[in-house]
């Protein structure tokens, strides 16, 4: 049995309920964030909570908790679930109950749900993964809102085609991001990741910092017509870390095998996450500042 935090109370997971009248249920109006632990320490917790605050500000949802309060609640929830080994943490802030069922009235609730962190099949990392592309995108892409219809739809399409992820491609043929991942590729020896119309992934930020030591890095638009020029490709996310991609739709990337550049980045990430978990190192990542929040965030090291 897992213990969740729901609106001020710690409860067993099978007793975790919210109102059917909350506009997160009625309208999909809410925000969430997801992170994992290493050595039981939540990975870059302040950045994830900062992004939650930023997501809320962007969709017009008022969060009544400070960043510090949310971080403390997350740490407490993790510590109440010691049986999990490593945890996967979901932080959700709902739109709350609204008199007309549509207009947010600042009555949202905070939920923190932790589960055992699932392992992904090792062959995806040794042999590489297939991804597909979909002609879709997200409304307000800088916000991680609970309105993930396009992601659920795209992920189903990916699974039906034996792929792990679907990449959003827009009308200008730009590759933006995956349904729940960020996208990176090497063209020549330069590492490239899209800058605009994507979620600012925490793993993405970590990779950009780590990669600086080894490769030239550029944030810029990437188009589908550039796929044949890509030497190596990978996707990043809290639950996937750095996952090599060897096929996009039916097109193999270079020789269709995991290359040395991605391996180097996978190794650097794994070493860093391990060391972060043990409290030995911490990269200075860019914070997403929210108006009015900067002064009160007072984040302590997670
Ligand atoms: C749309 C989207 N892009 C990227 C990511 C990766 O973000 P992070 O590295 O912070 O997990 C996610 C995470 O779920 C996502 O939903």
């Amino acid at each position: 049995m897992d213990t969740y935090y729901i609106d001020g109370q710690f409860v067993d997971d099978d007793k975790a309920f919210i109102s059917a009248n909350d506009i997160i249920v009625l309208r999909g109006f809410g925000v969430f964030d997801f992170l994992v632990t290493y050595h039981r320490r939540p990975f870059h917790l302040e950045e994830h909570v900062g992004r939650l605050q930023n997501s809320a500000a962007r969709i017009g949802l008022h969060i009544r908790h400070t960043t510090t309060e949310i971080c403390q609640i997350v740490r407490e929830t993790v510590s109440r679930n010691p049986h999990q080994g490593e945890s996967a943490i979901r932080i959700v802030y709902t739109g709350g109950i609204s008199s007309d069922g549509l207009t947010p009235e600042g009555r949202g609730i905070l939920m923190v749900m932790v589960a055992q962190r699932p392992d992904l099949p090792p062959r995806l990392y040794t042999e590489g993964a297939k991804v597909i592309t979909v002609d879709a995108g997200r409304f307000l892409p800088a916000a991680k809102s609970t309105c993930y219809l396009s992601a659920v739809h795209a992920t189903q399409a990916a699974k039906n085609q034996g792929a792990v992820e679907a990449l959003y491609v827009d009308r200008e043929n730009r590759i933006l991001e995956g349904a729940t991942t960020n996208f990176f590729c090497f063209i020549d020896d330069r590492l490239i990741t899209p800058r605009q119309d994507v979620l600012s992934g925490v793993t993405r930020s970590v990779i950009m910092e780590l990669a600086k030591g080894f490769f030239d890095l550029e944030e810029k638009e990437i188009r589908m017509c550039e796929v044949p020029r890509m030497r190596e490709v990978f996707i990043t996310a809290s639950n996937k870390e750095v996952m090599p991609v060897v096929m996009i739709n039916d097109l193999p990337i270079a020789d269709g095998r995991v290359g040395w550049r991605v391996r180097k980045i996978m190794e650097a990430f794994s070493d860093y996450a391990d060391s972060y978990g043990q409290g030995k190192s911490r990269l200075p990542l860019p914070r997403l500042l929210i108006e009015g929040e900067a002064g009160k965030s007072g984040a302590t090291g997670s």
Side-chain angles (χ1 to χ4, degrees):
M1 180 82 64
D2 296 322
T3 300
Y4 291 175
Y5 172 93
I6 309 284
D7 195 22
Q9 316 253 325
F10 290 97
V11 295
D12 290 343
D13 56 14
D14 62 353
K15 301 206 174 47
F17 302 116
I18 63 163
S19 167
N21 284 321
D22 194 305
I23 53 174
I24 200 167
V25 180
L26 299 179
R27 309 287 181 183
F29 186 79
V31 290
F32 77 109
D33 220 285
F34 176 91
L35 67 155
V36 297
T37 61
Y38 291 92
H39 297 281
R40 307 262 324 129
R41 182 181 185 207
F43 189 64
H44 283 282
L45 176 59
E46 288 80 9
E47 283 79 4
H48 281 279
V49 175
R51 185 171 69 187
L52 182 88
Q53 299 270 17
N54 184 59
S55 299
R58 284 176 187 270
I59 70 164
L61 188 160
H62 175 65
I63 291 196
R64 287 169 291 135
H65 296 68
T66 64
T67 299
T68 308
E69 285 163 355
I70 299 177
C71 288
Q72 274 159 0
I73 291 165
V74 169
R75 284 193 204 98
E76 172 70 22
T77 315
V78 169
S79 72
R80 285 177 185 244
N81 288 278
H83 58 283
Q84 283 171 357
E86 299 296 0
S87 306
I89 308 162
R90 249 172 240 286
I91 312 170
V92 181
Y93 213 97
T94 75
I97 295 173
S98 143
S99 331
D100 64 0
L102 190 63
T103 315
E105 293 170 4
R107 295 157 74 191
I109 64 163
L110 172 66
M111 309 196 278
V112 179
M113 294 170 279
V114 286
Q116 184 154 356
R117 187 178 155 187
D119 288 328
L120 287 161
R123 65 170 175 75
L124 291 174
Y125 297 87
T126 50
E127 292 168 26
K130 171 183 171 169
V131 300
I132 60 161
T133 58
V134 288
D135 182 6
R138 286 185 305 122
F139 177 59
L140 299 176
K144 200 164 161 70
S145 83
T146 50
C147 193
Y148 256 39
L149 181 61
S150 50
V152 174
H153 196 252
T155 305
Q156 282 176 330
K159 290 205 170 130
N160 289 340
Q161 294 177 52
V164 294
E165 175 65 308
L167 304 175
Y168 294 138
V169 174
D170 72 3
R171 287 185 188 154
E172 290 159 39
N173 267 322
R174 294 184 303 159
I175 300 174
L176 302 173
E177 59 182 353
T180 60
T181 56
N182 286 112
F183 180 82
F184 287 84
C185 65
F186 282 96
I187 294 185
D188 302 325
D189 267 333
R190 179 163 287 210
L191 179 59
I192 305 172
T193 188
R195 179 207 295 270
Q196 278 178 341
D197 298 326
V198 300
L199 186 76
S200 177
V202 173
T203 323
R204 173 183 184 271
S205 299
V206 169
I207 296 306
M208 285 167 63
E209 280 301 312
L210 293 174
K212 271 182 201 165
F214 310 115
F215 303 107
D216 284 344
L217 174 73
E218 202 177 347
E219 284 179 275
K220 73 172 187 78
E221 288 182 351
I222 304 168
R223 285 176 200 276
M224 276 302 282
C225 60
E226 293 176 277
V227 172
R229 289 176 55 216
M230 292 176 189
R231 287 187 168 175
E232 296 187 36
V233 171
F234 63 96
I235 50 177
T236 63
S238 298
N239 64 350
K240 292 193 175 59
E241 302 181 332
V242 179
M243 184 178 282
V245 170
V246 291
M247 188 173 282
I248 300 184
N249 297 326
D250 287 325
L251 203 63
I253 302 300
D255 64 359
R257 284 193 289 210
V258 180
W260 67 269
R261 299 171 189 82
V262 180
R263 275 188 221 283
K264 193 159 188 68
I265 290 177
M266 288 162 71
E267 197 182 295
F269 182 82
S270 157
D271 288 350
Y272 173 67
D274 187 57
S275 148
Y276 180 97
Q278 296 179 64
K280 292 186 189 156
S281 55
R282 185 186 217 292
L283 287 168
L285 301 187
R287 293 272 172 100
L288 294 164
L289 280 187
I290 310 109
E291 225 173 289
E293 186 57 28
K296 62 179 179 181
S297 63
T300 50
S302 65

